[in-house]
Amino acid sequence: MPRGRYSLYDTHDHSPLGDEHFQCATGPTGWRYVSQLTTPSGAPAGAVDLAIDDLGRPIRLQLKAGDWQVRGAALDGVTWVRTDPTGEHATEGNVRAHAFTGASPAFYVAVARRLRLAPGDAPVRVRLVGFTPPVLAPLTVDQSWALVARTAHPTDNGTLDVDEYQVSALDTGEQHTVHLAGDVVLSAPGVELEELENPPSVFGTRETW
């Protein structure tokens, strides 16, 4: 079961946004990721709990950022409830989308699992609903994903495949690169893997919490 720490930073000026302390594991029915977020000073800043099924569909999403909360799942596309800071007014939403996205590295793994691309496949268009701190307001985005390379790296625990994805925003044409090893993000815009205990999980194997 991988566990570790990502550092998060602003992609425009590279200022630090805090850390995400995570653990994740594959299981009999899919994959689960949980994390606690902290500010650069170490204060609590939120939490992520994401579970996907064996096909990569989000069966449960719980996000917290400050006083805001979001709960969501795959239902007629994706459906969610967003709760305001007072807790008095909850708003519901539904979009014909494939999955969720957001600031957490977990979403890169989840989308890659949903698409199941192979090197050489044509780019695939995907519609996502994103929630970004600090207010977790929903935003529907269209992206293009392509798996441009898969490189085998020898390790003490055997060979580890590292996948390089090219992700393009279809509204702006902006492109960025994401490197994944199993269920761990090695690098992505605004994300750096700082600590990792245990090797990444390989999808298809079974682990329990």
Side-chain angles (χ1 to χ4, degrees), residues 75-127:
L75 180 64
D76 295 327
V78 294
T79 299
W80 67 90
V81 175
R82 175 173 173 263
T83 304
D84 66 291
T86 66
E88 297 179 359
H89 305 286
T91 57
E92 299 182 4
N94 172 263
V95 171
R96 290 285 183 177
H98 298 89
F100 295 110
T101 189
S104 173
F107 294 110
Y108 288 118
V109 178
V111 173
R113 183 61 175 166
R114 184 81 170 90
L115 298 179
R116 296 174 185 246
L117 298 175
D121 285 351
V124 173
R125 177 172 179 160
V126 59
R127 172 159 288 185

Side-chain angles (χ1 to χ4, degrees), residues 108 143 145 165-169 174-178 188-189:
Y108 288 118
Q143 295 178 343
W145 280 60
Y165 290 90
Q166 180 175 286
V167 180
S168 304
E174 181 181 2
Q175 296 182 341
H176 60 266
T177 301
V178 177

Side-chain angles (χ1 to χ4, degrees), residues 28-31 52-59 98-99 110-116 203:
T29 59
W31 179 72
I52 61 176
D53 66 13
D54 197 46
L55 298 178
R57 296 172 299 194
I59 57 177
H98 298 89
V111 173
R113 183 61 175 166
R114 184 81 170 90
L115 298 179
R116 296 174 185 246
F203 286 105

Side-chain angles (χ1 to χ4, degrees), residues 9 82 183:
Y9 60 89
R82 175 173 173 263
D183 59 353

Side-chain angles (χ1 to χ4, degrees), residues 55-200:
L55 298 178
R57 296 172 299 194
I59 57 177
R60 184 182 68 253
L61 171 67
Q62 297 183 35
L63 295 177
K64 294 182 180 179
D67 295 325
W68 295 91
Q69 296 187 39
V70 167
R71 295 176 181 266
L75 180 64
D76 295 327
V78 294
T79 299
W80 67 90
V81 175
R82 175 173 173 263
T83 304
D84 66 291
T86 66
E88 297 179 359
H89 305 286
T91 57
E92 299 182 4
N94 172 263
V95 171
R96 290 285 183 177
H98 298 89
F100 295 110
T101 189
S104 173
F107 294 110
Y108 288 118
V109 178
V111 173
R113 183 61 175 166
R114 184 81 170 90
L115 298 179
R116 296 174 185 246
L117 298 175
D121 285 351
V124 173
R125 177 172 179 160
V126 59
R127 172 159 288 185
L128 307 169
V129 174
F131 300 98
T132 303
V135 296
L136 302 179
L139 176 66
T140 303
V141 298
D142 291 303
Q143 295 178 343
S144 172
W145 280 60
L147 178 53
V148 297
R150 174 171 292 158
T151 307
H153 292 267
T155 71
D156 294 339
N157 299 298
T159 301
L160 181 66
D161 287 334
V162 176
D163 289 341
E164 178 184 342
Y165 290 90
Q166 180 175 286
V167 180
S168 304
L170 295 182
D171 57 345
T172 64
E174 181 181 2
Q175 296 182 341
H176 60 266
T177 301
V178 177
H179 289 91
L180 303 181
D183 59 353
V184 173
V185 177
L186 301 182
S187 65
V191 177
E192 291 292 341
L193 179 63
E194 302 290 354
E195 300 174 6
L196 181 64
E197 299 177 18
N198 304 322

